[in-house]
């Protein structure tokens, strides 16, 4: 595909953002990438004369808004996410970056010539099912866990965006599942699990319910399709195939080949998390078992991506492939 159209992307150096930029360049688009660090962008983004790097952050929207609204398309993939699972009071940042900024951006895009805006939400924004069936796009965005600030912020974002009554031809919301894949350079919580796991011969992990676990490259291709399909639906779950987190971690361990994975009950893992918090907090170290993360993994539910498959042509690669390329990337970027 050859295209003269420009796509403005936020969250460009994140796991999804980097894979999305690769997918957009492969499709012939010109990309404007919003990044917090130009130096990091040089390390992790592909080299292309169709890629323009714009330095800025979500706290200074006015500095880059004109670059967004003068583009043909906008994909808002940035969020206050990884930081949330660390210590501290995150309420102000969650509201500003995950709710206020998306609404401000949506209003500006609607008032300008942006053809279509894709807002990246989260499967965690959706309410738990009451009938045991996989969750569809029709499920209300009430937040998976009432006490989880990140999920509630994504729920509030969706509600505020719906109030704007923007037609699907101008704005689409995408809800990814738990993302893995190459180009995880921060790393994300999923990448950090592997980095922790490879340090030991035996690693314990919870045996939680099956839910959507997805390769970030497949989400990226789905987002590109959201820009190209003529009459999109307003929301798409692009959440991958449903599998248990334990099965995913075992697939990762199989690639690594040096660590045995043992299941542990959620309650025991949460008890260990609280003990580790008491140990690591005074030392200023990271808790390798963050309580919020365990609660999320233990309460997820099955997702349906059938609408995205049918309307966007989305397909999901086997997780064994995702596991192999995730491990290869992380071992290269974070060598032991």
């Amino acid at each position: 595909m050859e295209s003269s159209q420009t796509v403005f992307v936020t969250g460009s150096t994140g796991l999804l953002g980097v894979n999305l930029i690769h997918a957009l360049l492969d499709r012939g688009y010109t990309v404007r990438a919003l990044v917090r660090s130009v130096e990091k962008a040089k390390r992790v983004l592909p080299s292309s004369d169709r890629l323009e790097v714009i330095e800025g952050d979500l706290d200074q929207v006015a500095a880059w808004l004109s670059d967004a609204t003068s583009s043909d398309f906008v994909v808002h993939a940035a969020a206050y996410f990884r930081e949330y699972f660390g210590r501290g009071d995150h309420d102000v940042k969650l509201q500003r970056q995950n709710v206020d900024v998306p609404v401000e951006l949506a209003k500006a895009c609607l008032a300008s010539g942006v053809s279509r805006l894709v807002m990246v939400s989260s499967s965690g924004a959706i309410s738990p099912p009451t009938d045991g069936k996989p969750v569809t796009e029709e499920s209300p965005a009430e937040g998976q866990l009432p006490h989880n600030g990140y999920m509630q912020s994504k729920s509030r974002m969706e509600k505020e965006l719906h109030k704007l009554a923007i037609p699907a031809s101008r704005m689409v919301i995408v809800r990814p599942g738990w993302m893995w894949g190459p180009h995880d350079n921060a790393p994300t919580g999923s990448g950090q699990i592997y980095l922790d796991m490879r340090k030991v011969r035996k690693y314990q992990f919870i045996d939680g319910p099956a839910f959507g676990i997805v390769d970030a490259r497949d989400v990226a291709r789905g987002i590109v399709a959201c820009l190209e399909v003529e009459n999109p639906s307003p929301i798409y779950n692009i959440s991958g195939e449903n599998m248990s987190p334990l099965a995913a971690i075992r697939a990762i361990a199989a690639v690594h080949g040096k660590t045995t994975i043992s299941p542990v009950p959620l309650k025991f893992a949460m008890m260990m998390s609280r003990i580790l918090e008491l140990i690591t907090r005074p030392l200023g170290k990271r808790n390798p078992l963050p309580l919020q993360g365990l609660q999320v993994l233990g309460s997820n539910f099955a997702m349906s991506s059938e609408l995205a498959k049918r309307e966007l042509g989305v397909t999901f690669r086997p997780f064994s492939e995702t596991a192999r390329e995730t491990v290869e990337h992380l071992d290269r970027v974070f060598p032991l």
Side-chain angles (χ1 to χ4, degrees):
M1 172 184 172
E2 293 295 330
S3 175
S4 60
Q5 294 177 306
T6 299
V7 185
F8 184 91
V9 178
T10 71
S12 298
T13 59
L15 171 60
L16 177 57
V18 178
N19 284 289
L20 174 60
I21 288 172
H22 276 277
L24 288 167
L25 293 174
D26 287 346
R27 292 290 289 170
Y29 290 98
T30 295
V31 180
R32 292 172 174 169
L34 182 69
V35 303
R36 285 186 289 184
S37 168
V38 173
E39 289 304 312
K40 180 178 180 180
K42 290 179 180 178
R43 294 196 309 270
V44 304
L45 294 182
S47 177
S48 172
D49 57 4
R50 288 184 284 109
L51 175 62
E52 177 186 0
V53 173
I54 299 169
E55 192 167 22
D57 59 53
L58 297 188
D59 291 324
Q60 304 290 334
V61 176
W64 50 264
L65 191 58
S66 62
D67 291 305
T69 56
S70 61
S71 302
D72 297 292
F73 303 105
V74 173
V75 179
H76 182 55
Y80 189 78
F81 171 68
R82 182 171 56 89
E83 301 88 343
Y84 169 70
F85 291 94
R87 301 184 182 101
D89 185 355
H90 306 281
D91 290 349
V92 172
K93 285 283 191 180
L94 287 169
Q95 178 63 33
R96 173 61 185 161
Q97 297 191 10
N98 291 3
V99 184
D100 297 341
V101 169
V103 171
E104 183 177 349
L105 179 59
K107 289 179 178 178
C109 289
L110 182 63
S112 72
V114 172
S115 297
R116 188 167 296 162
L117 165 66
V118 176
M119 285 288 188
V120 179
S121 183
S122 167
S123 57
I126 312 170
S127 304
T130 58
D131 57 6
K133 296 180 180 179
V135 168
T136 69
E137 288 76 3
E138 296 178 357
S139 301
E142 296 294 341
Q144 180 178 316
L145 293 172
H147 54 274
N148 185 284
Y150 170 73
M151 292 181 175
Q152 290 303 315
S153 72
K154 284 298 188 177
S155 173
R156 290 197 303 276
M157 181 195 79
E158 290 197 21
K159 290 177 181 178
E160 293 300 316
L161 290 174
H162 288 316
K163 290 179 182 178
L164 301 179
I166 301 175
S169 60
R170 298 292 304 278
M171 184 181 74
V172 176
I173 293 174
V174 167
R175 295 166 172 165
W178 189 24
M179 286 187 287
W180 293 75
H183 303 299
D184 188 356
N185 301 298
T188 62
S190 53
Q192 188 62 56
I193 288 173
Y194 169 65
L195 296 183
D196 291 338
M197 182 200 78
R198 70 178 184 176
K199 297 176 184 177
V200 297
R201 299 297 298 272
K202 294 183 178 180
Y203 188 77
Q204 294 181 322
F205 203 76
I206 66 168
D207 190 8
F211 59 91
I213 299 179
V214 66
D215 192 301
R217 292 169 293 183
D218 297 334
V219 179
R221 290 189 295 110
I223 290 174
V224 174
C226 286
L227 303 179
E228 298 178 351
V229 69
E230 185 174 355
N231 295 304
S233 293
I235 303 175
Y236 289 105
N237 297 335
I238 306 181
S239 52
E241 305 297 350
N242 293 303
M243 63 187 303
S244 74
L246 182 64
I249 299 305
R250 280 179 166 160
I252 294 289
V255 176
H256 177 56
K258 299 178 181 179
T259 303
T260 301
I261 307 298
S262 300
V264 296
L266 177 61
K267 289 184 179 180
F268 176 79
M270 293 175 69
M271 179 186 70
M272 290 301 301
S273 173
R274 292 185 173 95
I275 293 172
L276 286 169
E277 185 65 21
L278 293 174
I279 297 171
T280 58
R281 181 181 288 272
L283 300 175
K285 295 184 177 181
R286 180 183 64 87
N287 185 344
L289 281 176
L291 187 62
Q292 291 275 14
L294 290 173
Q295 290 170 335
V296 171
L297 291 175
S299 64
N300 272 314
F301 40 77
M303 301 281 295
S304 171
S305 298
E306 292 305 311
L307 184 65
K309 291 179 180 179
R310 185 169 65 251
E311 294 188 359
L312 303 178
V314 170
T315 57
F316 300 111
R317 70 197 70 207
F319 190 76
S320 57
E321 177 183 334
T322 302
R324 183 183 71 253
E325 298 190 32
T326 297
V327 168
E328 289 174 354
H329 174 82
L330 290 169
D331 282 344
R332 183 171 61 253
V333 176
F334 302 99
L336 284 170

